[in-house]
């Protein structure tokens, strides 16, 4: 959508900087694929764990906590997916999502051990 | 990603939008039609009468069920309302000892359709009616239901991401609201059209996408429930407690008059309408009558239910009040379904939803318009470009054509034909597939003009087809004051006119002359 604005830049510098900054096509594809996998699969894992943890820790009756966590889950998933493509560094996305998921999984495990499901 | 935040969002918006754009367009179109699901069903069952109030039909429904299934395990009665002219009754036979719970039966078994006014059995043609568009828009077709629902959920998730990234892309979102430059270059005009349809109804698009995910959240995100409950059953037992099954006592006792029970239910709801009536152990001393409130009564889709003693007619229990968060969930569900909307609001729903279709369609077209100017040789585009272009034409014209084809099939297929309703559904995909095929065989411009014209004809001719084959026609609707069916025919004309207008614009369209300087520069920078 922004091509028209970028086109307005002076042609010479545009071409030069684009050439200097542009990685080879395969790198770009790999990058997109890595972000796509992170957004879809790690993003789902992260959103699912967030939902489960929120359902455990939110105050109020458990039917309410479960519902609140589930209603929020899609916002979490969408935000994570957007971030996966917004961050300048792909490795940071992967690290953030795996570390975050690991942390959430630990909290969930602890919570389930302390107070089992009914 | 490389480049600024906004650039990467623009990239994300472009590609998430494209990948599922075609399926999303079909989902949006059928979902839009679903706001008039009862009206579509009425149109497709021309044997049925005008809408009626529920009061008169309750006794007729009980009389019919007492005749055909006096010893049934349970009866279910869906009462008519101001949009539906029939009472739908069904029953479940008593299970023999040791017999498994029966599988869900297809339509046609153990059920009947009764005229709301007379209570007589209506032999309506075999059709899925508006139900098909409703089902398709969240579970597609020709594939296992669960798979289709996951596909639809994935599309909705992509849509949500496309909306978020699209909003971020538009720094001038408020200004875009007032920007439409139809005389500018093609790309500008398409971009403006895309922005206009998107921004105009943005709150609606965001709401409908999010609440759409919420309607199937139990499938997509079961982990909130899984974290607190050992099983789904444990959760449902707590949130929607079912009265336990009582075995028949064997002592015969007449059913309390149903109108009386409905009256009591309505009173208990402060004038709310009863909608679905479930009678368990009819004709027995242990009979129970559960009355569910009409989904159009309140914003929340879960209207709740009341249980009555089937013999004395006394109220026994009320479904438990949900907590505030669960009410919120129900309200989100209700917002998506739009059943609470009165006719004026329903039309706004319809128009906003049509804007959603236009948003997806213009977005898809924009993808090709933007790239066409950058093609090294516009006469010979690369394969991916041609694929997108053909699928765009075949889908944007094909989905409305396919939906119209279903209504054509509804009128033209022999009433007694075996597998009739399945063939009506096949007609949708014959129409859609035919348009894609047509689009691949013709040059771009001709393909647009011809497929859109064909779609316009298929839609706008429907009132005539109906008038020639059934009792449903404009004059009759006008004379009997059947405003819903009158509006149905007029809407078909309007939609046909809209498609014809698109065809006309496509025919008059002149491709902008590509400035040489720009072309040279663009060639260096593939998108």
């Amino acid at each position: 959508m922004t091509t028209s604005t970028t086109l307005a830049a002076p042609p010479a510098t545009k071409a030069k900087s684009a050439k200097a900054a542009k990685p080879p096509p395969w790198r770009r594809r790999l990058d997109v694929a890595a972000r796509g996998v992170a957004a879809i699969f790690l993003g789902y894992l992260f959103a699912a764990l967030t939902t489960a943890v929120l359902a455990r820790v939110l105050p109020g009756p458990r039917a309410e906590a479960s519902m609140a966590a589930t209603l929020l889950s899609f916002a979490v998933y969408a935000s994570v997916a957007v971030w996966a493509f917004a961050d300048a560094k792909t490795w940071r996305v992967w690290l953030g999502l795996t570390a975050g998921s690991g942390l959430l999984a630990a909290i969930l495990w602890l919570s389930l051990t302390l107070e089992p499901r009914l | 990603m490389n480049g600024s935040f906004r650039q990467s969002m623009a990239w994300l918006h472009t590609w998430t939008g494209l990948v599922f754009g075609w399926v999303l367009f079909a989902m949006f179109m059928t979902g839009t039609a679903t706001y008039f699901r009862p009206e579509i069903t009425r149109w497709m069952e021309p044997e049925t009468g005008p809408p009626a109030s529920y009061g008169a039909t309750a006794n007729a429904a009980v009389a019919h069920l007492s005749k055909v299934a006096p010893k049934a395990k349970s009866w279910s009665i869906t009462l008519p309302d101001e949009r539906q002219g029939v009472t739908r009754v069904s029953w479940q036979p008593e299970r023999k000892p040791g017999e498994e719970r029966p599988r869900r039966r297809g339509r046609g078994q153990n059920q009947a359709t009764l005229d709301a006014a007379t209570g007589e059995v209506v032999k309506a043609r075999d059709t899925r009616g508006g139900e098909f568009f409703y089902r398709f828009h969240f579970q597609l077709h020709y594939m296992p239901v669960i798979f289709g629902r996951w596909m639809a959920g994935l599309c909705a998730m992509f849509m949500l991401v496309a909306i978020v990234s699209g909003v971020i892309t538009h720094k001038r979102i408020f200004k875009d609201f007032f920007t439409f430059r139809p005389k500018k270059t093609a790309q500008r005009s398409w971009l403006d059209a895309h922005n206009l349809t998107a921004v105009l109804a943005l709150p609606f698009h965001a709401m409908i996408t999010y609440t759409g995910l919420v309607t199937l959240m139990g499938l997509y995100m079961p982990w909130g429930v899984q974290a607190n409950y050992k099983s789904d059953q444990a959760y449902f037992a707590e949130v929607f407690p079912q009265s336990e099954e009582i075995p028949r006592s064997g002592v015969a006792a007449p059913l309390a008059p149903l109108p009386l029970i409905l009256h009591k239910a309505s009173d208990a709801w402060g004038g709310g309408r009863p909608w679905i009536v479930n009678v368990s152990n009819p004709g027995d001393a242990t009979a129970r009558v559960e009355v569910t409130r009409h989904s159009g009564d309140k914003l929340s889709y879960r209207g709740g239910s009341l249980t009555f003693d089937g013999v004395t007619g006394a109220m026994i229990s009320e479904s438990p009040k949900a907590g505030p968060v669960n009410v919120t969930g129900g309200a989100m569900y209700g917002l998506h379904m739009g059943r609470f909307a009165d006719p004026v609001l329903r039309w706004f729903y319809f128009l906003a939803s049509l804007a959603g279709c236009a948003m997806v369609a213009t977005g898809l077209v924009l993808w090709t318009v933007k790239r066409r100017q950058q093609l090294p040789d516009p006469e010979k585009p690369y394969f991916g470009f041609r694929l997108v272009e053909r699928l765009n034409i075949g889908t944007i014209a094909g989905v409305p054509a396919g939906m119209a084809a279903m209504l054509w099939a509804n009128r033209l297929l022999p009433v007694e034909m075996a597998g009739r309703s399945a063939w009506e559904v096949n007609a949708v995909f014959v129409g859609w597939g035919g348009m894609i095929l047509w689009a691949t065989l013709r040059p771009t411009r001709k393909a647009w003009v011809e497929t859109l014209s064909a779609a316009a004809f298929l839609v706008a001719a429907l009132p005539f087809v109906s008038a020639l084959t059934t009792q449903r026609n404009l004059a009759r609707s006008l004379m009997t004051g059947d405003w819903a069916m009158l509006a149905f025919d007029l809407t078909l004309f309007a939609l046909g006119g809209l498609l014809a207008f698109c065809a006309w614009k496509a025919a008059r369209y002149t491709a902008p002359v590509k400035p040489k300087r720009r072309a040279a520069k663009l060639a260096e920078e593939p998108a």
Side-chain angles (χ1 to χ4, degrees), chain A residues 2-83:
Chain A
T2 50
T3 346
S4 52
T5 47
T6 52
L7 285 176
T13 53
K14 176 73 201 167
K16 205 176 167 189
S17 65
K19 245 178 205 160
K22 198 161 271 182
W26 67 268
R27 285 261 339 238
R28 196 179 145 75
R29 272 176 205 161
L30 192 70
D31 185 54
V32 168
R35 286 170 191 273
V37 169
I40 296 172
F41 296 105
L42 287 180
Y44 184 80
L45 180 70
F46 183 84
L49 284 164
T50 308
T51 309
V53 168
L54 279 178
R56 297 291 301 180
V57 302
L58 284 177
R62 57 186 185 149
E64 293 280 281
S66 292
M67 178 59 84
T70 311
L71 289 178
L72 285 173
S73 65
F74 304 110
V76 174
Y77 193 9
S79 312
V80 167
V82 166
W83 173 58

Side-chain angles (χ1 to χ4, degrees), chain B residues 208-224:
Chain B
I208 214 69
T209 308
Y210 204 93
T211 54
L213 287 161
V214 164
T215 57
L216 286 172
M217 63 189 164
L219 175 67
Y220 302 143
M221 240 351 131
W223 314 114

Side-chain angles (χ1 to χ4, degrees), chain A residues 1-12 14-16 18-19 21-23 28 31-33 35 39-40 43-44 47-49 51-57 61-79 81-90 108 111-112 115-118, chain B residues 1-2 4-14 150 154 157-158 160-161 164-165 168-171 187-188 191 194-195 210 213-214 216-231 234-235 238-239 302 322-330 332 366 370 374 517-518 521-522 524-527:
Chain A
M1 309 291 117
T2 50
T3 346
S4 52
T5 47
T6 52
L7 285 176
K14 176 73 201 167
K16 205 176 167 189
K19 245 178 205 160
K22 198 161 271 182
R28 196 179 145 75
D31 185 54
V32 168
R35 286 170 191 273
I40 296 172
Y44 184 80
L49 284 164
T51 309
V53 168
L54 279 178
R56 297 291 301 180
V57 302
R62 57 186 185 149
E64 293 280 281
S66 292
M67 178 59 84
T70 311
L71 289 178
L72 285 173
S73 65
F74 304 110
V76 174
Y77 193 9
S79 312
V82 166
W83 173 58
F85 286 90
D87 201 298
K89 300 278 182 252
T90 309
L108 182 63
S111 162
L112 286 171
E115 193 188 340
R117 299 178 299 168
L118 291 169
Chain B
M1 300 284 298
N2 304 304
S4 71
F5 179 55
R6 273 190 54 236
Q7 272 173 327
S8 59
M9 285 300 106
W11 180 91
L12 183 63
H13 182 79
T14 303
W150 271 106
L154 198 63
M157 234 11 252
F158 269 66
L160 190 61
V161 170
V164 173
S165 53
I168 296 170
T169 305
H170 294 295
K171 52 180 178 188
Q187 187 184 325
R188 268 285 135 206
L191 181 58
H194 184 57
N195 289 342
Y210 204 93
L213 287 161
V214 164
L216 286 172
M217 63 189 164
L219 175 67
Y220 302 143
M221 240 351 131
W223 314 114
V225 166
Q226 292 294 319
N228 279 334
Y229 299 85
K230 276 225 165 85
S231 65
Y235 170 73
E238 184 175 310
V239 180
R302 303 195 185 102
V325 182
N326 273 279
V327 170
T328 308
M332 288 173 89
L366 184 57
K370 207 166 117 185
Q374 303 170 7
R517 186 180 56 80
R518 230 173 151 220
K521 189 174 60 186
L522 284 163
E524 285 181 24
E525 193 193 21

Side-chain angles (χ1 to χ4, degrees), chain B residues 332-459:
Chain B
M332 288 173 89
Y333 201 127
L335 269 175
H336 190 88
M337 304 293 283
R339 294 294 292 267
F340 68 94
D342 58 24
V344 175
L345 185 57
R346 192 174 309 129
W347 277 100
F348 273 107
Y349 255 104
F350 181 75
L351 292 176
S353 205
L354 265 188
C357 303
M359 169 184 73
V360 178
T362 51
L364 283 168
V365 172
L366 184 57
W367 191 95
T368 57
V369 169
K370 207 166 117 185
R371 273 153 195 78
R372 178 178 298 289
Q373 304 183 333
Q374 303 170 7
L375 290 171
D377 178 3
E379 298 304 310
K380 288 196 175 65
Y382 55 96
F383 175 74
F385 183 91
R386 289 208 325 261
L387 182 74
V388 170
E389 191 177 57
R390 301 298 144 161
L391 281 175
N392 278 354
I393 302 169
T395 299
I396 292 170
V399 172
M403 291 169 76
M406 184 179 182
L407 302 187
W408 275 73
N410 176 267
R411 289 298 191 255
L412 296 183
L413 291 179
V415 174
E416 296 304 327
M417 178 183 174
R420 187 177 193 287
S421 62
W423 275 103
E424 282 185 14
V425 171
N426 291 340
V428 175
F429 300 96
V430 170
W432 185 1
M435 288 297 170
I436 293 178
L437 190 68
W438 193 340
T440 53
L441 296 178
R442 301 286 287 160
T444 311
R445 163 83 67 104
K446 290 205 169 79
W448 271 118
V449 176
E450 290 165 6
T451 52
L452 284 170
S453 306
F457 167 75
L458 284 174
V459 173

Side-chain angles (χ1 to χ4, degrees), chain B residues 143-162:
Chain B
M143 59 185 85
V145 167
I146 294 298
F147 181 76
R149 289 183 181 188
W150 271 106
M151 274 291 293
L154 198 63
C155 289
M157 234 11 252
F158 269 66
M159 174 86 189
L160 190 61
V161 170

